[in-house]
Amino acid sequence: PTVGVKRTLLFEALGQTFTEEAFDELCFEFGLELDEVVTETNDEGKEEVVYKLDIGANRYDLLCLEGLVRALLVFQGKLVAPQYSLTKPAQLEQLILDPSVIAVRPHVIGAVLRGVTFNKARYNSFIDLQDKLHMNLARKRTLASVGTHDLDTIKGPFRYMAKPPTEIKFK
């Protein structure tokens, strides 16, 4: 897939600026291709430079600005690769799989991410990443889908079921 990243946000997150040629060289050394550089008009009517990067099909971690920046900083030796760990919380959440969903989603997993704080830009980036995963890895949601919910606003147990669209009502 091709991913567009705003140059100003990219350089700010990397903590340095590059010429177009220098950034193209960094991408090449890392194994990416700077496909094109375009100018787009943002929501405020201002023009901004966007780098279009060709991302390998097996690098889902690079489909968002945050993942791309982390990978480039690790590659440059400016950041230690993060180590993630699975921990058991004091209170477990329960996900109940209704028999109606078996034919549609025979496998279901759930995860709770704690300590995640979003500002508007990061939230938009996260939702954009989720959409890219739906379109690419999940093949337009035919193989999988991702739901994201704020546990501060909802309470379990959570029930996953399949219904005809006309019968779906959100509370």
Side-chain angles (χ1 to χ4, degrees), residues 11 23-24 41 56 62 64 66-67 70 78 88 93 101 106 111 114 126 130 132 136 156 159 167:
F11 288 178
F23 187 72
D24 186 35
T41 304
L62 304 179
C64 64
E66 295 80 5
R70 181 183 54 240
K78 297 179 178 180
K88 188 173 181 178
E93 297 293 341
V101 82
R114 300 187 193 284
F126 177 78
Q130 183 173 305
K132 288 174 185 165
N136 294 291
R159 188 174 186 85
E167 293 182 25

Side-chain angles (χ1 to χ4, degrees), residues 32-92:
L32 298 176
E33 181 182 346
L34 178 56
D35 193 37
E36 65 178 326
V37 179
V38 298
T39 302
E40 296 179 353
T41 304
N42 67 19
D43 295 338
E44 299 165 354
K46 296 180 181 177
E47 289 189 344
E48 51 193 5
V49 176
V50 175
Y51 285 175
K52 303 284 185 167
L53 300 164
D54 189 26
I55 305 294
N58 63 338
R59 291 302 306 264
Y60 303 108
D61 59 317
L62 304 179
L63 293 177
C64 64
L65 174 68
E66 295 80 5
L68 178 65
V69 167
R70 181 183 54 240
L72 289 173
L73 290 175
V74 169
F75 177 72
Q76 293 177 303
K78 297 179 178 180
L79 182 70
V80 175
Q83 299 292 316
Y84 301 104
S85 61
L86 183 63
T87 59
K88 188 173 181 178
Q91 170 99 18
L92 290 175

Side-chain angles (χ1 to χ4, degrees), residues 16-34:
Q16 66 185 108
T17 60
F18 296 86
T19 63
E20 186 177 318
E21 295 76 22
F23 187 72
D24 186 35
E25 181 67 22
L26 174 62
C27 288
F28 178 78
E29 291 171 357
F30 182 69
L32 298 176
E33 181 182 346
L34 178 56

Side-chain angles (χ1 to χ4, degrees), residues 95-167:
L95 176 61
I96 301 167
L97 183 60
D98 190 87
S100 64
V101 82
I102 297 297
V104 181
R105 295 280 187 258
H107 307 285
V108 176
I109 61 170
V112 175
L113 305 178
R114 300 187 193 284
V116 176
T117 303
F118 286 123
N119 60 27
K120 183 174 175 26
R122 287 219 171 145
Y123 177 77
N124 290 342
S125 179
F126 177 78
I127 294 300
D128 188 46
L129 171 63
Q130 183 173 305
D131 287 342
K132 288 174 185 165
L133 291 172
H134 281 142
M135 295 306 292
N136 294 291
L137 183 64
R139 306 241 172 102
K140 298 182 181 178
R141 296 184 187 213
T142 59
L143 298 178
S145 63
V146 177
T148 304
H149 308 282
D150 182 352
L151 278 180
D152 289 336
T153 63
I154 60 174
K155 300 290 178 227
F158 302 100
R159 188 174 186 85
Y160 189 63
M161 64 186 81
K163 288 188 172 189
T166 56
E167 293 182 25

